[in-house]
Amino acid sequence: MSPEGKALLNIVILGFGFMFMFTAFQTCGNIEQTVIKNFNSSEFHGSGYTSMSIIYGVFSASNLIAPSVVAVIGPQLSMFFSGLLYSGYIAMFIYPYTWSFYTASVLVGIGAAVLWTAQGNVLAINSTDSTIGRNSGIFWALLQFSLFFGNLYIYFAWSGEHDRQTVFISLTVISLVGCFLFFLIRKPEPEAAPSETSEPLLPTEISETCKLLVTKEMLLLSISIAYTGLELTFYSGVYGTCIGAMTRFGQDAKSLIGVSGIFIGMGEILGGGLFGMLNKCNRFGRNPVVLLGLITHFVAFYLIFLNIASDAPLAPEAGTDLQAYINPSVGVALLCSFLLGLGDSCFNTQLLSIIGFMFRDNSAPAFAVFKFIQSIMAALAFLYSNFLPLHWQLLILVLVGFLGSLSFFVSEWLAESSRLDSDYDSI
């Protein structure tokens, strides 16, 4: 097999490993607030939103040290041990206690920083300038199959408290399968990653990451990254809870949480596969894809505003009887799920691509900064999700999404100018 073929195989294995892990973890995240509402008792008092806020808050802080961990033990072991922490978090729901719930949240936050920094490093060292867009798309599409399979399983398997332990045991096993897949990844040959072979694990000091955080390129991208953090919270935790709280959707409203996740996954897979595989054919750069993502999200936010009651994120276990501005429609709700996934894939695939291109000689700290910004905004969003009505959450998304798209357009112009200058100098 050629060096490029081996590098592509590494990307596929990486994608499958994350697909299995996040089939378990994202499915857990989608249903945990609903599960906790049903489970709260004298022995357990917890909030799924608070847990996710802790995860992303610790995740954000831990990104400062994650590159050093990846440098010391390597990306492969980094992903494996981090994956074990994810599996432990899921397994905690088999017999949940308040102390174990929040302790596991802290540990997953640490593991997430190391996991995603290692992932960015593997993606970068197995890519070249011409393949980074394709590889980002392939990885993202495989990762987002997790939303499809996980929520499909929940839809058919979930039938109440009796099945809770069976569901979380199954999810734990699925997560562990993903952990062990990382051992199949092999170090790329020099031809596959000419820009990084002299130093496959890049400078990892905390100061290096902090310096990168304040460069003009990263500061511009930070607004776009911040938007993906807010949107991650919305589609992975808030929107499913809103659908499940809408009593006007009928007795099966809670089962629609899984269906919504499936439609989000379908949008993510379509966007990741399409824009990744067609990357070489795109003469207009990354901006049109990001613009499509922005328009897609704005349409979704408007329809959600019309279709979902404003108090849905804050509704008690019994749900809400309130109506928004139109008669609540399951079809519109699921269409919005698809649009959320499609738009999210537009933003994330292009961010992975541009960061891999602009910081290809410093990939581990660059992806650590990416996840630092994304996770701190996700934590902030989970915090305000505890008390902000839906329409205010949508307004925040609209404003930050618009500003983030503008900043991405400027970043793309800088990246293209840098590429043209490089090509000119090589003549």
Side-chain angles (χ1 to χ4, degrees):
M1 185 181 292
S2 67
E4 184 176 351
K6 291 180 180 178
L8 178 59
L9 180 61
N10 282 343
I11 297 298
V12 172
I13 294 172
L14 180 70
F16 273 106
F18 272 70
M19 182 189 75
F20 277 98
M21 277 185 54
F22 283 89
T23 290
F25 184 73
Q26 289 185 331
T27 302
C28 174
N30 282 347
I31 65 174
E32 72 173 52
Q33 181 67 9
T34 302
V35 169
I36 288 170
K37 283 182 179 179
N38 295 330
F39 193 77
N40 271 329
S41 65
S42 59
E43 297 181 358
F44 180 85
H45 299 281
S47 166
Y49 291 153
T50 302
S51 169
M52 286 296 176
S53 179
I54 291 171
I55 289 174
Y56 285 105
V58 175
F59 183 3
S60 178
S62 300
N63 273 296
L64 297 176
I65 62 170
S68 299
V69 176
V70 175
V72 171
I73 66 175
Q76 195 174 53
L77 286 176
S78 296
M79 291 188 293
F80 174 73
F81 288 119
S82 298
L84 293 182
L85 295 178
Y86 274 80
S87 301
Y89 178 83
I90 299 166
M92 180 276 308
F93 281 95
I94 299 172
Y95 293 104
Y97 297 95
T98 305
W99 67 268
S100 62
F101 179 48
Y102 289 122
T103 300
S105 300
V106 173
L107 293 176
V108 166
I110 297 170
V114 176
L115 178 75
W116 285 101
T117 300
Q119 175 271 330
N121 184 243
V122 172
L123 178 65
I125 65 176
N126 283 280
S127 302
T128 63
D129 291 349
S130 62
T131 62
I132 183 66
R134 179 202 66 185
N135 290 348
S136 298
I138 291 172
F139 169 78
W140 192 257
L142 287 172
L143 168 63
Q144 298 308 326
F145 267 105
S146 62
L147 286 169
F148 180 83
F149 291 126
N151 287 286
L152 188 66
Y153 171 71
I154 288 297
Y155 178 72
F156 287 109
W158 190 263
S159 59
E161 177 67 19
H162 178 71
D163 288 327
R164 174 179 55 82
Q165 292 183 347
T166 302
V167 167
F168 283 104
I169 289 172
S170 301
L171 293 178
T172 301
V173 172
I174 292 169
S175 177
L176 289 171
V177 171
C179 295
F180 284 97
L181 280 178
F182 294 137
F183 286 117
L184 299 179
I185 296 175
R186 293 292 176 260
K187 183 178 179 181
E189 296 184 17
E191 294 81 2
S195 63
E196 300 213 11
T197 51
S198 61
E199 194 177 7
L201 287 173
L202 306 160
T204 56
E205 295 82 1
I206 293 177
S207 60
E208 183 71 23
T209 304
C210 294
K211 288 177 183 178
L212 196 62
L213 180 61
V214 296
T215 60
K216 68 176 182 180
E217 295 85 359
M218 191 58 76
L219 287 174
L220 276 171
L221 287 172
S222 65
I223 306 176
S224 306
I225 297 169
Y227 174 64
T228 64
L230 299 179
E231 216 276 321
L232 170 65
T233 292
F234 186 76
Y235 83 75
S236 66
V238 176
Y239 188 56
T241 300
C242 291
I243 291 177
M246 291 290 291
T247 58
R248 290 175 179 264
F249 285 157
Q251 295 181 347
D252 295 329
K254 284 185 169 54
S255 69
L256 291 175
I257 297 174
V259 182
S260 172
I262 292 170
F263 275 80
I264 291 172
M266 289 169 60
E268 294 274 13
I269 294 163
L270 175 63
L274 181 63
F275 301 124
M277 298 305 293
L278 296 182
N279 183 264
K280 288 186 177 181
C281 305
N282 187 2
R283 300 179 181 179
F284 304 103
R286 304 172 182 89
N287 284 346
V289 179
V290 171
L291 180 60
L292 174 62
L294 180 67
I295 294 171
T296 301
H297 273 173
F298 277 13
V299 171
F301 296 154
Y302 180 64
L303 292 176
I304 292 170
F305 175 73
L306 295 177
N307 193 49
I308 302 294
S310 184
D311 69 333
L314 313 174
E317 181 184 345
T320 177
D321 292 324
L322 296 182
Q323 179 177 316
Y325 296 94
I326 62 174
N327 289 325
S329 167
V330 173
V332 171
L334 296 181
L335 172 62
C336 292
S337 298
F338 176 80
L339 294 177
L340 288 174
L342 180 62
D344 185 67
S345 70
C346 291
F347 277 95
N348 277 285
T349 56
Q350 302 316 299
L351 278 169
L352 288 173
S353 177
I354 197 171
I355 290 173
F357 173 78
M358 296 179 76
F359 304 100
R360 57 190 176 278
D361 294 326
N362 217 9
S363 64
F367 282 101
V369 170
F370 171 39
K371 285 299 175 180
F372 169 78
I373 299 169
Q374 187 182 63
S375 56
I376 200 169
M377 295 307 294
L380 177 64
F382 273 112
L383 277 177
Y384 68 61
S385 296
N386 277 306
F387 58 85
L388 274 187
L390 180 62
H391 62 274
W392 286 110
Q393 296 190 40
L394 292 173
L395 178 61
I396 292 171
L397 288 168
V398 168
L399 293 176
V400 180
F402 179 74
L403 294 175
S405 298
L406 290 181
S407 70
F408 186 95
F409 297 155
V410 177
S411 299
E412 173 68 358
W413 176 76
L414 290 174
E416 185 64 17
S417 298
S418 174
R419 185 187 68 81
L420 292 175
D421 290 343
S422 178
D423 291 345
Y424 179 80
D425 293 340
S426 64
I427 296 177

